[in-house]
């Protein structure tokens, strides 16, 4: 795992733990708090997926550039 991946996983794990604690501590099962926490967690997951996709795209671009340079040297 890269450093960025570890950070993203850590943030997601912390968010999951926080959401779980918030849901466990809320007294009303139909509370707006549960819906808000659930929505926030879903938004967090979606944004982290987008960021991770951006990191993957950058890494893929870097690998392609290296491959092109190697092909130039070997040609």
């Amino acid at each position: 795992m890269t450093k960025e991946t570890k950070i993203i996983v850590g943030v997601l794990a912390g968010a999951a733990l926080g959401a779980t604690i918030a849901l466990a501590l809320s007294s009303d099962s139909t509370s707006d708090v549960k819906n808000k926490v659930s929505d926030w967690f879903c938004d967090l997951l979606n944004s982290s997926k987008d960021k991770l996709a951006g990191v993957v795209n950058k890494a893929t671009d870097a690998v392609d550039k290296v491959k092109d340079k190697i092909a130039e040297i070997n040609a």
Side-chain angles (χ1 to χ4, degrees):
M1 277 187 180
T2 66
K3 183 177 179 180
E4 294 162 342
T5 306
K6 289 179 183 179
I7 291 171
I8 291 171
V9 169
V11 168
L12 291 176
L17 181 61
T20 303
I21 290 171
L23 289 173
L25 294 177
S26 66
S27 61
D28 187 12
S29 64
T30 60
S31 172
D32 285 338
V33 174
K34 287 185 180 182
N35 290 332
K36 288 179 183 179
V37 170
S38 178
D39 290 342
W40 175 80
F41 188 65
C42 288
D43 292 341
L44 178 67
L45 285 175
N46 289 335
S47 67
S48 64
K49 286 179 186 177
D50 293 341
K51 289 179 183 178
L52 186 58
V55 170
V56 170
N57 288 338
K58 287 181 182 179
T60 302
D61 291 343
V63 169
D64 290 340
K65 287 180 183 178
V66 170
K67 285 181 182 179
D68 291 341
K69 291 291 181 179
I70 291 172
E72 287 177 16
I73 292 171
N74 290 335

